[in-house]
């Protein structure tokens, strides 16, 4: 299906945000809003967000990507991913105004963009679904646990490591110091309020769980196999009875892309994610 791309400028908290809507000639009733995470702008790593929006529009699904305050071409001061609710709401306002045929919105996010979307979705009835890629649930403890479990296990079986050891080129003391530091970090840290005061002592994984539990819509979860952030989420959700119960609900669909890295840097991986997204959007 043919599509066009339309540049948008819309207000948020006294600042001006910039977005691009990718509009099929016959837009469907369900659209996708990409929530950008980290220090990125609307194109995404390896242009993934641009290519995703165009792939969806070719199938009749309107899509929009935008720069939050302080990023890309949007004005204002940059904020953390837990302080982007006003930006997401303003983008949904602009998206729905731009596509009158659209009746509901699916938020699509990678890494802390996924976390931001998950914590926003339950407070806006216009949001019907979430696509979460490698959600960010990092704590010092979870990073240490994933590093010890995945990184060090791979290193022990790495031929390159043993070649270095036998050649006398392996720095044993710094390596042991690093491992001991990771083991010490496995101890749970004291709880502190979130940066915006909304955390009330709850950890990021707990706030993420609360957000997803409050959200009644459909959720597509995509995890990369070669990504420590994804492994942290998988370990967390697998070890916690509350997370296992939440993700076992029929409204959650899960895909794992074993060879993919954090940002889906290869075309085949990006195409697979786009295909999973489009198929899932048509399935409910």
């Amino acid at each position: 299906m043919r599509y066009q791309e339309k540049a948008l400028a819309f207000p948020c908290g006294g600042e001006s945000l910039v977005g691009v809507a990718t509009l099929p000639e016959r837009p469907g009733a369900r659209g996708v809003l990409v929530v950008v995470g980290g220090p990125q702008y609307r194109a995404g790593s390896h242009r993934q967000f641009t290519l995703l929006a165009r792939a969806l529009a070719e199938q009749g699904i309107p899509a929009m990507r935008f720069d939050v305050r302080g990023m890309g071409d949007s004005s204002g001061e940059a904020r953390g991913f837990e302080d982007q609710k006003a930006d997401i709401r303003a983008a949904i306002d602009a998206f729905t105004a731009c596509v009158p045929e659209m009746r509901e919105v699916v938020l699509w996010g990678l890494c802390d963009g996924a976390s931001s979307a998950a914590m926003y979705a339950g407070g806006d009835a216009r949001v019907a679904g979430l696509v979460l890629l490698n959600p960010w649930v990092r704590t010092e403890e979870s990073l240490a646990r994933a590093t010890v479990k995945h990184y060090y296990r791979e290193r022990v079986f790495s031929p390159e490591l043993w070649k270095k050891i036998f050649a006398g080129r392996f720095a044993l003391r710094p390596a042991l110091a690093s491992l001991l530091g990771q083991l010490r970090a496995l101890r749970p840290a004291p709880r502190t309020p979130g940066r915006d005061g909304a955390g009330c002592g709850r950890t990021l994984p707990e706030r993420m769980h609360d957000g997803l539990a409050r959200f009644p819509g459909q959720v597509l979860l995509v995890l990369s196999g070669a990504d420590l952030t994804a492994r942290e989420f998988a370990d967390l959700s697998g070890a916690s009875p509350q997370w296992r119960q939440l993700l076992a609900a029929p409204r959650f669909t899960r895909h794992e892309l074993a060879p993919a890295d954090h940002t889906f840097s290869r075309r085949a991986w990006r195409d697979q994610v786009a295909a999973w997204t489009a198929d899932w959007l048509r399935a409910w």
Side-chain angles (χ1 to χ4, degrees):
M1 184 182 296
R2 299 175 62 181
Y3 63 84
Q4 63 171 328
E5 294 192 312
K6 183 177 182 180
L8 301 173
F10 50 94
C12 176
E15 305 293 344
S16 179
L17 306 191
V18 172
V20 176
T22 307
L23 307 172
E25 57 185 351
R26 296 187 300 280
R30 180 174 295 153
V32 171
L33 178 71
V34 177
V35 178
V36 177
Q40 293 191 352
Y41 76 118
R42 59 189 180 274
S45 302
H46 326 289
R47 299 176 68 239
Q48 183 178 21
F49 305 157
T50 300
L51 299 173
L52 170 74
R54 292 173 180 174
L56 295 176
E58 288 175 347
Q59 301 178 65
I61 302 166
M64 177 176 159
R65 47 204 166 85
F66 72 104
D67 298 334
V68 297
R69 280 175 286 183
M71 300 303 297
D73 292 313
S74 293
S75 66
E77 182 181 350
R79 300 156 191 269
F81 70 95
E82 293 191 70
D83 193 19
Q84 294 180 344
K85 290 183 178 179
D87 305 64
I88 297 173
R89 185 174 296 279
I92 294 176
D93 291 344
F95 192 21
T96 53
C98 180
V99 190
E101 301 90 341
M102 199 170 62
R103 295 291 176 265
E104 56 190 22
V105 174
V106 170
L107 301 181
W108 190 107
L110 166 69
C111 191
D112 55 10
S115 305
S116 183
M119 289 188 281
Y120 172 87
D124 191 330
R126 297 172 295 181
V127 180
L130 288 168
V131 183
L132 309 178
L133 282 71
N134 301 330
W136 177 266
V137 289
R138 179 160 295 175
T139 63
E140 187 177 1
E141 178 188 355
S142 72
L143 175 60
R145 192 176 303 282
T147 302
V148 170
K149 181 177 178 180
H150 300 286
Y151 173 75
Y152 282 102
R153 185 169 60 185
E154 290 182 6
R155 287 284 286 165
V156 166
F157 293 104
S158 167
E160 294 301 319
L161 171 66
W162 291 103
K163 287 179 184 176
K164 281 187 177 181
I165 292 175
F166 289 127
R169 294 185 287 109
F170 182 72
L172 179 62
R173 183 171 295 179
L176 285 177
S178 176
L179 174 59
L180 289 174
Q182 297 293 342
L183 293 175
R184 282 194 293 270
L186 290 175
R187 291 175 296 187
R191 298 186 171 203
T192 56
R195 284 170 296 177
D196 58 0
C200 300
R202 294 176 299 163
T203 64
L204 173 60
E206 289 170 339
R207 299 196 294 279
M208 278 278 291
H209 182 280
D210 288 350
L212 288 172
R214 287 200 315 274
F215 176 61
Q218 300 291 316
V219 181
L220 172 62
L221 182 64
V222 179
L223 298 181
S224 297
D227 175 39
L228 204 56
T229 299
R231 293 307 96 199
E232 289 179 65
F233 181 86
D235 291 346
L236 166 79
S237 56
S240 160
Q242 292 79 14
W243 272 99
R244 289 202 303 272
Q245 181 179 12
L246 176 68
L247 299 186
R251 64 192 181 89
F252 283 84
T253 301
R254 178 167 174 161
H255 289 301
E256 301 234 5
L257 195 51
D261 55 23
H262 184 61
T263 57
F264 302 89
S265 59
R266 294 187 179 179
R267 177 176 179 176
W269 301 337
R270 294 191 295 273
D271 289 348
Q272 180 62 79
V273 170
W276 278 338
T277 300
D279 291 345
W280 174 79
L281 285 166
R282 287 191 291 263
W284 50 280

